[in-house]
Every structure is written in structure tokens, then in C-alpha cells.
Amino acid sequence: MKFAQIGAPGAEQPVLVHGDRHYSLQSITPAINGDFLSNGGPAAAAAALAAGTLPEVTSDVVRYGAPVVRPSAVVCVGLNYAAHAAESGAQPPEHPVIFLKTPNTVSGPDDAVAIPRGATKTDWEVELGIIIGKRASYLDSPEAARDNIGGFVVVDDLSERDFQLNVSGGQWSKGKSSPGFCPTGPYLVTPDEVDAGNLRLRSWVNGEIRQDSSTADMIFDAETIVWNLSQYMVLEPGDLICTGTPEGVALSGRFPYLKAGDIVEIEIDGLGRQRHEFIA
């Protein structure tokens, strides 16, 4: 199943996406959030769709917000593709490299993104995002982590490299947490419809291809990431994990950094596509 939030910023409504139609879930939940995911919401939505009791939402223009209402945490994995680690001048890690984005960075997939004040090296990163569906703490194994995954999303883990690497004090989050720096969606797709280990990821800047890879190249797969994180923190329903980006970013030196007026598009097969313009 595909879930989404549609409507004006701050006034989105939860919907089930079936084909090219949107069905309101307001009779089941006020929002796609941790409570919905952990308390049988997807099953209730599927049953209501089958029974024909969900009203269709019709509109000529649909704005997608982030498909999950603001998570309690946005946890990111760095250097999780060997080729990206190499272009960053780093060795592939033996353990997942972790940093955090602030939850208020999460924005709609097609919303404009402002270049941060003082920024000189704003960069794109197409990533597979994991949405936690059930509280995870000290999981026994990567296999056990599958039950804690509520769905998958497309994420652009935007970065300001100067903030991240040169004025960071040794931590990356300064360069990851500017407003709107985590466009998410358009859909949350449930795990039964996703082969998370074999998804094509791509990004374009102004129509020119930048990244074209597969999650098969991830060093740590989705289940391993959730299991590993659960040894060090409690993951709550609705939390977002960004699993790393493949090669082809501006940090490589092969492409210019982003400027006002640039258009970034990212896509993961089966999970949807984003398009956001960068503004001053």
C-alpha cells in the first residue's frame, strides 16, 4: 500500500493512494504518524478500501507533504555506499556511521528549498528512507528488525558541505539541518511492496543525471541498519532513517554545487519522484 499526506502546508490530510486515486483516511486517523503505523492503521486502511468505505479525494492540483507527520528523530547513515565513500576520500566503514538531522528539516517532496545563509557548497543526496513502524530497542538480529519497519520513502539528504566539514567541530549535523533540508516522499510504501535491497536510485540537476545506482550496493542493508541503531538508541514509530547516498554528488568535485534557480529531481523505483527548486 501507499500512504501520503496531501494539501496545503500545515493542513495536509492523510490518504491511501491506490493507482492514480486518493482515498481519505480521516475516518481512521488524523495523520499518517507513529500511532497509525504501530496500532493497526495500515490493516484498517486496507480493510476500509476493500469494503469501499473510504471517500475519494478529488482535486485538479495535488500538493504532497511529507508522508509521515514530523518524526521524533531523523537518524542518518553516512558513507553507506563504497563508491560514495571513495569519492568522499574515505574508506568503507566497518560499522555504520551515524549523524542526526533535526526533525523540522522534513518537508514536502516538491517544496522549494532555500540555500542557507552563508552557504557555498549545497549538495544533493538521493537516499532510501526507512520509516519505523514499531518501537525498536535492543533487537536480537537484523532478521528481527523486519517487523519494526513500517515502510520506505524517498529522501533527499541535502547537505551544506562547508558547514558539515569545515565549521562542524567534528560533527556533521551542522551541515545537514538547515530549513527544508530533508524533502521526504511523496509516498510511504509498505514493506510488502518493496524489495529494499534492489532498488534503483537516481538524481538529476537541471535535467542532467548525477546519480544512478542501486541499493544492492549498500554496505549495510536496511535490516542491519535498524538492528544496529537499536543497540544504541530507541527508535520510535514514525521515526525516519536515511540510509546513505550513492556516488555522484557535488562533493566528488565532478559537478558544481547548487545555486538559486537550480532544479533537483530524485527518484527511487516504486517509491516515487521529487522535484524541488532552490531559491535564495
Side-chain angles (χ1 to χ4, degrees):
M1 287 181 294
K2 290 181 180 179
F3 298 108
Q5 301 248 136
I6 61 173
E12 295 93 346
Q13 65 169 303
V15 295
L16 186 155
V17 182
H18 187 66
D20 59 355
R21 296 183 175 184
H22 300 82
Y23 295 91
S24 175
L25 293 175
Q26 290 182 309
S27 63
I28 295 174
T29 181
I32 306 299
N33 54 22
D35 286 342
F36 172 78
L37 294 171
S38 62
N39 292 314
L49 179 67
T53 59
L54 296 179
E56 185 174 356
V57 180
T58 58
S59 176
D60 292 335
V61 179
V62 174
R63 174 195 171 267
Y64 288 94
V68 174
V69 169
R70 183 181 296 184
S72 68
V74 180
V75 186
C76 304
V77 181
L79 304 174
N80 197 28
Y81 290 73
H84 175 59
E87 74 176 357
S88 304
Q91 293 295 318
E94 295 183 13
H95 306 283
V97 175
I98 302 301
F99 60 92
L100 302 176
K101 294 173 90 86
T102 55
N104 64 1
T105 58
V106 175
S107 60
D110 301 323
D111 293 348
V113 180
I115 300 287
R117 183 180 299 178
T120 58
K121 296 180 178 180
T122 301
D123 209 347
W124 60 88
E125 296 188 12
V126 59
E127 303 200 5
L128 174 67
I130 301 168
I131 300 295
I132 296 298
K134 184 171 69 174
R135 192 172 188 266
S137 179
Y138 295 118
L139 298 175
D140 291 334
S141 66
E143 292 74 23
R146 292 172 186 163
D147 290 339
N148 298 82
I149 295 175
F152 296 94
V153 295
V154 181
V155 176
D156 193 350
D157 175 23
L158 294 168
S159 309
E160 189 4 86
R161 301 300 189 186
D162 187 52
F163 299 173
Q164 176 188 356
L165 301 174
N166 297 326
V167 294
S168 65
Q171 300 291 331
W172 288 358
S173 294
K174 243 186 221 182
K176 298 285 189 172
S177 296
S178 296
F181 258 35
C182 195
T184 304
Y187 314 118
L188 182 156
V189 184
T190 52
D192 57 299
E193 295 190 8
V194 181
D195 179 2
N198 187 28
L199 295 172
R200 188 181 185 187
L201 312 87
R202 287 172 288 178
S203 67
W204 298 260
V205 177
N206 299 327
E208 297 180 357
I209 192 73
R210 292 290 186 262
Q211 296 171 281
D212 189 351
S213 187
S214 168
T215 57
D217 292 328
M218 289 201 302
I219 297 169
F220 305 104
D221 64 21
E223 291 84 2
T224 298
I225 289 169
V226 173
W227 164 76
N228 181 272
L229 289 177
S230 80
Q231 309 307 306
Y232 305 100
M233 62 185 75
V234 177
L235 299 169
E236 300 288 355
D239 284 353
L240 169 62
I241 302 171
C242 306
T243 63
T245 199
E247 66 175 323
V249 296
L251 181 63
S252 68
R254 293 185 285 136
F255 309 109
Y257 287 102
L258 296 170
K259 63 184 185 305
D262 285 344
I263 303 292
V264 170
E265 296 171 277
I266 66 172
E267 182 177 62
I268 300 179
D269 285 356
L271 301 184
R273 187 180 181 100
Q274 301 185 5
R275 182 187 186 276
H276 31 273
E277 179 181 0
F278 284 78
I279 61 176

